[in-house]
Amino acid sequence: MDLQKQPEPRAAAAPVAELRASDADRDRIADILREALAEGRLNADEHAERVEGVLNAKTVGELEVFIQDLPAAHQRRAAAAYTPAPNRPAAGEIPPVADENVVAVFSQATRRGRWRPGRRVHAYAIFGSVEIDLSEAVFEYQQVVIKAVSVFGDVQVRVPENVSLRGTGGGVLGNFEVVTLDSPESEAPVVYVDGWAVLGNVEARPKRGKLVADILDRVQSKVDKHLRKHM
């Protein structure tokens, strides 16, 4: 073992502009364009051309091009700088004891619908399957940790498109896959998935078309408060 060998530096996170755009990102830009049309800043042809470009855009940076000459884009930048969610929750932020255990041994267990996840949820699939669906959940905490352990089983985690998703774990003759997701909103919940897949499968990804509605309410409240302050 070479004690002098230094660990290779970790690759830097991709800039926000290079992140893949979600349907929520496209909807946000389309809303800005619709308001610009109503205000007379864009004519019908310009609006139609830009909307078509929004539908074909692949990254967040490509989307921003279509609103860079509109006031709404600059107001959004001035309101809050984007800060990516950390890869791990802050030390001591999440208690070590689970608020809820979801266990499937030679069976199936599911959590879905309008449920309230705690700060820590443990999911164990032993020759069984567990589904943790947060797409309609009520988030009482901004940070939620899901520890997923699969032994000859399957754990599926689904989240709304407008939250941040992080994962740390691995597979032993199995598959551990977490699709990294970054929300553009600082108020958005962050879901951390960690654990192991031993001859099994752990998978976490966004659920297409699902959004956390109360994030939009909180953001609108901040905007209204800012406007009242300057009236």
Side-chain angles (χ1 to χ4, degrees):
M1 181 177 180
D2 186 0
L3 297 179
Q4 301 301 318
K5 185 177 181 180
Q6 299 296 320
E8 295 184 2
R10 303 179 73 176
V16 175
E18 296 178 7
L19 296 176
R20 298 285 293 191
S22 69
D23 286 345
D25 295 324
R26 295 185 181 89
D27 289 344
R28 176 177 59 83
I29 300 300
D31 287 343
I32 293 176
L33 294 176
R34 184 166 55 251
E35 291 175 3
L37 175 64
E39 293 170 353
R41 299 182 189 277
L42 298 175
N43 60 38
D45 290 338
E46 291 171 328
H47 176 261
E49 181 180 354
R50 296 193 188 196
V51 168
E52 182 179 358
V54 167
L55 295 175
N56 294 324
K58 301 298 183 184
T59 67
V60 173
E62 291 175 6
L63 286 175
E64 296 292 340
V65 169
F66 297 106
I67 61 170
Q68 63 182 1
D69 59 345
L70 299 175
H74 301 281
Q75 291 169 2
R76 180 176 177 273
R77 292 192 192 102
Y82 175 81
T83 302
N87 289 329
R88 300 292 301 166
E93 185 72 22
I94 307 297
V97 179
D99 296 294
E100 182 175 3
N101 292 300
V102 185
V103 182
V105 180
F106 287 99
S107 62
Q108 180 178 357
T110 303
R111 292 292 182 274
R112 63 168 59 158
R114 298 292 288 176
W115 66 296
R116 299 174 183 270
R119 286 176 291 182
R120 177 180 287 274
V121 178
H122 288 179
Y124 301 97
I126 315 298
F127 289 95
S129 64
V130 172
E131 179 186 6
I132 304 292
D133 189 340
L134 299 167
S135 61
E136 297 180 1
V138 178
F139 286 89
E140 295 182 328
Y141 304 99
Q142 188 172 22
Q143 297 186 87
V144 175
V145 170
I146 298 177
K147 183 173 183 178
V149 177
S150 170
V151 180
F152 287 98
D154 180 56
V155 178
Q156 298 283 333
V157 179
R158 295 293 180 265
V159 303
E161 284 192 316
N162 58 342
V163 306
S164 292
L165 178 61
R166 297 287 186 271
T168 304
V172 180
L173 298 179
N175 176 63
F176 183 95
E177 180 182 3
V178 176
V179 177
T180 299
L181 187 65
D182 285 283
S183 173
E185 305 294 347
S186 60
E187 299 288 334
V190 184
V191 178
Y192 297 95
V193 179
D194 61 36
W196 290 90
V198 181
L199 292 166
N201 179 65
V202 173
E203 182 182 288
R205 62 178 61 249
K207 194 167 186 177
R208 191 176 182 85
K210 293 293 186 178
L211 304 174
V212 179
D214 61 340
I215 295 177
L216 305 179
D217 294 339
R218 290 199 297 268
V219 171
Q220 185 60 50
S221 296
K222 290 176 68 176
V223 172
D224 293 343
K225 182 178 180 180
H226 178 77
L227 291 176
R228 288 196 298 270
K229 183 178 178 181
H230 290 83
M231 287 180 64

